[in-house]
């Protein structure tokens, strides 16, 4: 693969964001297939910049042009056993290809570099895209299945819940007359008028339920649930008048 040096150098130093950057110590290993031995150079401290699947390295952080480039295709990134701590290597599949041994300044830096370099190749991106396409297909199937299946009305469930007599305000519970007494659930009886007539203070026609579709108006709902507060306030005012003539 041929690269235009001027274009590559411009890309290395342009304002496009880098995927990862930092100082690493580098040495190159060359495997001589016929001689069956490795030749390694000495370590050099370089400033590395990763952009996409291109790993540039510079003599200094402020350098205007890179001194080298590693194309991260057809290679593996792995930890390696070396005399130096925090060492890892970029090794290529081709026989006789060079390997880059890199040494980070610490454990966290080494892990971050290995992670970033392992995700830089197009091969990795292809795997990610395939996995995302698979997840998208499964999500579309699940959505289609949910749209076909009958759904329970959430409003009807809310209506059933709120229309439970145990949840309504106390004075709005319908009175049940038994032997001239008005009973309220499991509570005690309150003397009432003649059997079959409504208990004192209870309106014969109960107000419309606030949870029915006809009472969506907030002011009506507010008035419904505020009746108990109004009654308690009136009772308190009467007690104040009697206690303070």
């Amino acid at each position: 693969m041929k690269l235009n040096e001027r274009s590559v150098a411009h890309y290395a130093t342009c304002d496009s964001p880098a995927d990862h950057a930092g100082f690493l110590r580098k040495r190159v290993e060359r495997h001589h297939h016929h001689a069956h031995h490795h030749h390694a150079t000495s370590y050099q401290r370089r400033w590395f910049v990763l952009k996409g699947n291109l790993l540039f390295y510079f003599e200094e952080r402020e350098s205007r042009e890179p001194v080298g480039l590693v194309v991260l295709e057809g290679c593996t990134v792995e930890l390696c056993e070396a005399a130096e701590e925090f060492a890892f290597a970029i090794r290529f599949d081709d026989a006789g290809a060079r390997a880059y041994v890199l040494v980070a300044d610490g454990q966290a830096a080494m892990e971050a570099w290995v992670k970033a370099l392992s995700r830089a190749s197009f091969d990795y991106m292809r795997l990610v895209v395939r996995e995302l396409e698979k997840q998208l297909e499964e999500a579309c199937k699940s959505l289609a299945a949910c749209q076909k299946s009958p759904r329970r009305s959430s409003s009807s469930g809310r209506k059933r819940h709120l229309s439970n007599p145990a949840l309504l305000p106390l004075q709005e519970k319908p009175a049940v007359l038994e032997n001239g007494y008005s009973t309220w659930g499991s509570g005690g009886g309150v003397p009432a008028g003649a059997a079959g007539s409504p208990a004192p203070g209870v309106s014969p026609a109960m107000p419309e339920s606030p949870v029915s579709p006809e009472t969506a108006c907030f002011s009506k709902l507010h008035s419904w649930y505020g009746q108990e507060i109004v009654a308690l306030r009136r009772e308190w005012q009467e007690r104040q008048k009697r206690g303070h003539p």
Side-chain angles (χ1 to χ4, degrees):
M1 179 175 58
K2 294 183 180 180
L3 298 174
N4 186 294
E5 292 185 7
R6 182 173 298 178
S7 298
V8 170
H10 173 73
Y11 179 60
T13 56
C14 68
D15 294 335
S16 63
D19 297 309
H20 205 69
F23 278 107
L24 294 170
R25 286 187 293 148
K26 173 191 74 74
R27 68 180 175 88
V28 179
E29 290 183 351
R30 290 182 174 85
H31 177 70
H32 297 279
H33 181 70
H34 298 290
H36 297 286
H37 71 275
H38 294 271
H39 173 72
T41 61
S42 58
Y43 280 104
Q44 297 173 324
R45 184 175 174 84
R46 294 287 184 258
W47 175 256
F48 282 79
V49 176
L50 175 64
K51 289 188 174 184
N53 64 340
L54 302 179
L55 179 62
F56 301 95
Y57 52 95
F58 303 77
E59 285 189 4
E60 300 293 339
R61 184 171 184 172
E62 296 79 12
S63 299
R64 288 185 168 270
E65 291 187 0
V67 295
L69 165 66
V70 181
V71 181
L72 299 170
E73 296 296 337
C75 63
T76 57
V77 182
E78 58 191 38
L79 300 179
C80 63
E81 295 182 1
E84 296 78 18
E85 199 174 10
F86 314 124
F88 58 98
I90 302 173
R91 303 188 187 278
F92 290 86
D93 302 334
D94 296 337
R98 66 179 62 181
Y100 295 86
V101 179
L102 306 171
V103 180
D105 293 335
Q107 179 72 23
M110 179 192 70
E111 292 178 358
W113 270 112
V114 170
K115 188 176 183 179
L117 295 173
S118 299
R119 298 177 174 182
S121 68
F122 281 118
D123 290 336
Y124 176 83
M125 293 304 299
R126 287 191 197 98
L127 294 175
V128 172
V129 170
R130 286 179 192 150
E131 180 62 25
L132 291 176
E133 288 176 343
K134 182 180 178 182
Q135 293 180 14
L136 178 61
E137 183 180 356
E138 293 175 353
C140 290
K141 289 180 180 179
S142 299
L143 180 61
C146 291
Q147 290 176 344
K148 290 180 181 179
S149 62
R151 293 180 297 175
R152 296 174 59 185
S153 173
S154 58
S155 60
S156 62
R158 181 176 178 271
K159 182 176 179 180
R160 286 195 302 271
H161 173 73
L162 292 178
S163 59
N164 185 344
L167 302 177
L168 292 176
L170 179 62
Q171 75 277 15
E172 302 302 339
K173 283 189 178 181
V176 180
L177 300 179
E178 295 180 3
N179 300 326
Y181 287 86
S182 174
T183 61
W184 299 79
S186 58
V190 179
S197 62
V202 179
S203 173
M206 295 297 295
E208 188 179 8
S209 172
V211 294
S212 66
E214 293 79 9
T215 55
C217 177
F218 174 78
S219 60
K220 194 170 184 179
L221 195 64
H222 182 275
S223 175
W224 176 280
Y225 286 107
Q227 290 179 14
E228 183 177 4
I229 297 175
V230 172
L232 291 174
R233 184 172 182 271
R234 188 182 300 115
E235 183 181 348
W236 176 80
Q237 290 175 337
E238 292 177 355
R239 286 202 308 269
Q240 290 293 104
K241 290 179 181 179
R242 290 195 299 269
H244 300 84

